Structures are given as C-alpha cells and as structure tokens.
Amino acid sequence: MRQIRSIMGVLSVYMRSFVDVMSDRSLMNRSLFSSNLSIYRALKWFNIAFSFLLFIPVFASLVSFNLPHLLGYLIMAFLGYATWIFQGITGVPIFEEIRFLALLHLNLHSVFGMWLEFYNRFVIYDDILHIHGGFLGAVAIFPFVLGSSLAWSNLPERAVKWKVWFSALSIVNMFGVFWEIFEFISDRIFRNYPGYRMAQENSLNDTMLDLIYNNIGASIGILVFWWYLRKSRDVNAFMEKMGRKLGEFLETGRKRVRTEN
C-alpha cells in the first residue's frame, strides 16, 4: 500500500509540473536563446507533440510484436517525460531548448532510428546520434553545474570554467559508458531473437568510436554555451536560480532523512 501511495505521489507531482508548464508560470518556464514569448510557446508545443510522438512505435510494436523493441520504445517514451517529472519533484526550472533537445534525441533514436530503421538505412546515422547525444548531455548538465557553482561557491571565474568542463565531460562519459553496457547486455540477451538488430556489431571498434563521438558532441555543446553566456548575463542569473533551487531540494532531503532516523 505504501508503494502504491509512493507511485501516486510521483504521478501527482508530474501532473503538477505539466500544469505548471502549460500555464506558463514564469518561475518554472524559460526559453534560453530568446525572450520572445512566441518562440517560447512554439517550443513548448513542439515538446508536447514530441512527447506524444514517442508512443507511436510503442503501439506499432504491439501490432507486430517484437519484445526487445517494445521494451526499448517503452523506455524511450518514459524518458520523454523525465524533464517534467524532475522539474515537478525538485522545483528546478528547465530551459525549453534543453527539453526540446532531449525529446528530439529520443525521437531520433526511437521513432526514426529503430521504428523507421534509419540505423540500417544510413551508415553514419548512429555516429550523428552519438555526437548529438554528447551535445545534449553537455548542454543539459552545464546549467546545473554552473548554476550550483554560482549559487553555492566562491570560486574564481577561471576555476568555475574548469569545473564546468571537467564535470560536463565526466558526466557525459559516465552516461556514455552506461549506454554501451546497456547495449552489450541487450545484445547478449536478445541476439538470437528474430528481427533483433545488434547494437554492437563490431564490438570494441563500435564502442570506442561511440565514446569518441560523445566527447566531440559534448565539447561542441560546452563551447556553444560559453559563447552564448558572453552575450547574455541574464541567463547567468537564471542558472544561479536553478542551482539555488537544486541546493534547497537536496538540503530538504537531507533534513527529512535525519528526521526519519
């Protein structure tokens, strides 16, 4: 019963977050590259449409049943709502561009790569997605690392830059390694399943190239962010608010654990 209440609590938090996004609450919603309200609203509706698009392969794989593909599509569909869930639980605002890049990446992998078989049709498609994945990872992580540094530390500007570089690259590589392990395990389990596409056909060569592409994409993402920050100091202030909100959430969690113990 406690587990059911916990699940219902998570779902209610997600719904509150989704309503916050739909109602354009200024604290929760922000466009990164433009203060134009029309651009923000267009991004918001693109994101909502992309989140529903992820379910097309799920229903399609139910018709022509393929267990490994169905599991993959379900995971991608759930991850499509991860930014709203995170935002609702922590209260940390998310840039709509970051949400857009996350949903775009999931759709490129799930809808286009797997369901429409772009991975099989275009040799460089997987390489492009790994570059985009590294770029997405760096752009998504950057605001939290920089925002936390601005809000909670007194590091000099040069030290903050090094911290952002190393933190973003380290986290992107960590997720990259986890993804390669996931592909390896998936290949071992489903390699003889009819219609299953091997993720690591050339094993070591494929894995190393994927990790290299992740780092190329991450480096591009960090450079783009630094370039943009030189133009807009207001974004710094917003990211500091993100860092402060994240710190408050973590501190509240620590106090709750101490109280329960």
Side-chain angles (χ1 to χ4, degrees):
M1 193 67 183
R2 184 180 298 176
Q3 291 178 336
I4 294 175
R5 283 200 299 268
S6 177
I7 293 171
M8 293 302 295
V10 171
L11 291 175
S12 66
V13 163
Y14 158 68
M15 289 303 299
R16 286 199 303 273
S17 172
F18 199 80
V19 170
D20 286 339
V21 173
M22 294 293 290
S23 61
D24 291 333
R25 282 180 57 190
S26 60
L27 175 65
M28 300 299 291
N29 307 310
R30 176 62 188 263
S31 176
L32 174 60
F33 293 116
S34 174
S35 59
N36 189 306
L37 188 59
S38 297
I39 293 177
Y40 163 74
R41 285 178 175 162
L43 275 172
K44 182 186 73 172
W45 286 108
F46 266 120
N47 290 338
I48 292 170
F50 280 172
S51 69
F52 288 113
L53 187 62
L54 287 167
F55 282 96
I56 293 178
V58 174
F59 294 120
S61 64
L62 287 173
V63 176
S64 55
F65 188 76
N66 185 304
L67 179 61
H69 288 176
L70 174 61
L71 293 175
Y73 295 145
L74 284 170
I75 292 171
M76 294 300 114
F78 170 77
L79 289 176
Y81 295 89
T83 58
W84 281 297
I85 295 171
F86 174 82
Q87 180 174 295
I89 293 172
T90 64
V92 177
I94 301 293
F95 287 115
E96 284 301 312
E97 284 87 349
I98 293 176
R99 203 191 313 273
F100 173 80
L101 287 173
L103 287 163
L104 174 64
H105 188 78
L106 292 171
N107 275 284
L108 287 174
H109 171 71
S110 183
V111 178
F112 293 93
M114 295 297 297
W115 186 49
L116 297 178
E117 299 185 349
F118 277 30
Y119 283 124
N120 295 329
R121 296 181 185 182
F122 306 104
V123 177
I124 64 169
Y125 189 77
D126 183 63
D127 301 335
I128 292 172
L129 247 66
H130 275 282
I131 293 174
H132 185 267
F135 179 87
L136 164 64
V139 170
I141 293 161
F142 192 110
F144 295 105
V145 178
L146 181 57
S148 299
S149 299
L150 293 172
W152 300 99
S153 72
N154 295 316
L155 292 174
E157 185 175 344
R158 181 173 293 183
V160 170
K161 286 187 176 180
W162 280 109
K163 180 180 179 181
V164 171
W165 268 98
F166 281 121
S167 299
L169 286 175
S170 297
I171 296 172
V172 165
N173 275 287
M174 179 185 72
F175 280 110
V177 170
F178 283 155
W179 178 257
E180 296 303 317
I181 293 172
F182 170 78
E183 286 187 342
F184 175 80
I185 293 172
S186 178
D187 284 351
R188 298 285 79 76
I189 295 174
F190 296 112
R191 64 187 309 165
N192 296 320
Y193 193 96
Y196 177 73
R197 175 190 176 275
M198 292 286 286
Q200 295 185 320
E201 294 178 281
N202 295 318
S203 193
L204 180 61
N205 187 60
D206 177 83
T207 299
M208 294 310 299
L209 283 175
D210 288 349
L211 294 174
I212 290 170
Y213 289 137
N214 289 343
N215 281 277
I216 291 172
S219 298
I220 294 171
I222 294 169
L223 289 171
V224 168
F225 232 121
W226 281 129
W227 167 80
Y228 183 69
L229 285 180
R230 294 193 191 99
K231 298 174 57 180
S232 177
R233 305 306 298 179
D234 180 54
V235 175
N236 268 357
F238 184 75
M239 281 193 283
E240 184 175 350
K241 182 187 293 183
M242 292 175 66
R244 209 170 289 282
K245 280 282 183 184
L246 184 60
E248 290 170 1
F249 169 75
L250 295 174
E251 186 60 33
T252 302
R254 290 194 199 99
K255 290 178 180 177
R256 190 182 299 119
V257 170
R258 292 195 202 105
T259 302
E260 291 174 354
N261 291 336

